Amino acid sequence: MEGNAGREGRFPPRGHPVIRGINGIGLWSLYMKEVRRFLKVQTQTIWAPAITTLLFLVIFSVALGRGGREVLGVNFPTFVAPGLIAMAMMQNAFANSSFSLLSGKIQGTIIDLLMPPLSEGELMGGIIGAAITRAVAVGFVVAGAMMLYPGVSLAMAHPWAVLWFGLMGAVMLSLLGLLASIWAEKFDHNAAVTNFVIAPLAMLSGTFYVIDRLAPAFQAVSRANPFFYVISGYRYGFLGQSDIGDAAAVAMAALGLLALNALLALGTYKLLKSGWKIKN
């Protein structure tokens, strides 16, 4: 026994990894922890966004959609509904991922995320996956609320666009939320990003209007807003048309969002690996 105590067969040398490849159990455990966290307060995280979004639809439909007003060939409520669904999905994806690390840093429980044998990619995957799950759940609930409003049609012309742009929007905001939680040191910092970055970009994304009616300078600003491509591409999936352009332009927007999310994912991974504002 004593002769075998120092052999590699019994205990691996110090510093050698024991878990090789992907730690599936750890990744799944982190994902379920994050999902159960927002499901414990689902009245606030899942059902409340449906009420808020439905109020947006009612207010803007009454204020701007009277007299059978049509946009892109459909009535105003049908035009607005897809954008509101996508906006709710993105905002809730950001809210979920931006809370994970920040709450741990403030409450002193971040060690529970750093000590388990999880790589930076697995840590990022669990948090992002849970945020996307919340976004999808909110999307279904908000869509159900939209269908209760008179005159709203959610028939899909291009289901692939609904799935792709909904997923790309959720991934983008999940990554931005994780970046915000890494940078933030208190809840005020996170609220500042939400109020001064996320909310303005969402409201100025063409959710309630088509950008062709804006001045050329403001059209250029809108086309520089990635939220615009998520909203318009998602709307294209339902209506079969959008202010991005024709089908080729929509396909280019889909690839552009994929490239943007890849860059955001790489930057987030590098930041997590550096330990900036997390391990120091």
Side-chain angles (χ1 to χ4, degrees):
M1 292 295 292
E2 292 181 1
N4 295 330
R7 292 184 181 178
E8 188 175 349
R10 183 171 183 182
F11 295 108
R14 183 175 299 178
H16 282 215
V18 177
I19 299 177
R20 303 180 187 275
I22 298 177
N23 182 0
I25 296 177
L27 177 59
W28 177 253
S29 300
L30 175 60
Y31 168 77
M32 289 305 301
K33 167 187 173 295
E34 292 294 308
V35 170
R36 288 172 179 171
R37 177 175 61 79
F38 73 74
L39 285 180
K40 288 184 69 174
V41 287
Q42 59 181 283
T43 303
Q44 173 187 346
T45 57
I46 303 296
W47 301 103
I51 303 301
T52 304
T53 308
L54 189 59
L55 288 175
F56 269 118
L57 179 64
V58 172
I59 293 170
F60 279 90
S61 297
V62 171
L64 302 174
R66 296 176 180 176
R69 183 173 181 175
E70 292 189 353
V71 183
L72 295 180
V74 297
N75 60 45
F76 189 76
T78 298
F79 166 79
V80 172
L84 288 174
I85 297 171
M87 184 172 69
M89 291 175 64
M90 290 192 294
Q91 289 179 335
N92 281 273
F94 178 87
N96 201 80
S97 62
S98 65
F99 185 81
S100 299
L101 291 182
L102 179 58
S103 62
K105 287 196 289 185
I106 292 176
Q107 297 171 2
T109 59
I110 195 171
I111 193 68
D112 296 335
L113 294 175
L114 300 179
M115 284 298 293
L118 291 172
S119 67
E120 290 79 8
E122 291 160 355
L123 179 63
M124 186 171 71
I127 294 174
I128 298 301
I132 294 173
T133 301
R134 175 175 168 181
V136 172
V138 168
F140 276 109
V141 172
V142 171
M146 296 289 104
M147 294 176 68
L148 298 177
Y149 191 82
V152 172
S153 173
L154 292 179
M156 291 185 289
H158 302 288
W160 73 266
V162 175
L163 294 174
W164 181 260
F165 286 97
L167 177 62
M168 288 295 101
V171 170
M172 180 174 65
L173 268 294
S174 299
L175 290 167
L176 289 176
L178 187 52
L179 285 171
S181 68
I182 294 173
W183 165 77
E185 297 178 356
K186 52 185 178 180
F187 288 119
D188 285 349
H189 293 164
N190 190 39
V193 176
T194 301
N195 295 328
F196 298 114
V197 179
I198 302 302
L201 288 176
M203 292 297 179
L204 300 176
S205 61
T207 302
F208 305 103
Y209 55 86
V210 289
I211 66 169
D212 292 342
R213 300 181 182 181
L214 301 176
F218 288 100
Q219 288 188 34
V221 172
S222 294
R223 292 189 181 277
N225 179 4
F227 287 42
F228 162 74
Y229 296 98
V230 175
I231 298 293
S232 295
Y234 194 78
R235 181 180 287 131
Y236 173 81
F238 286 97
L239 306 183
Q241 54 183 328
S242 72
D243 42 2
I244 295 177
D246 57 12
V250 173
M252 289 298 295
L255 294 176
L257 287 172
L258 177 61
L260 175 61
N261 283 336
L263 290 175
L264 284 174
L266 179 61
T268 305
Y269 175 80
K270 293 292 186 182
L271 206 58
L272 280 173
K273 199 168 185 65
S274 71
W276 181 66
K277 288 199 172 184
I278 297 178
K279 297 180 181 179
N280 52 3

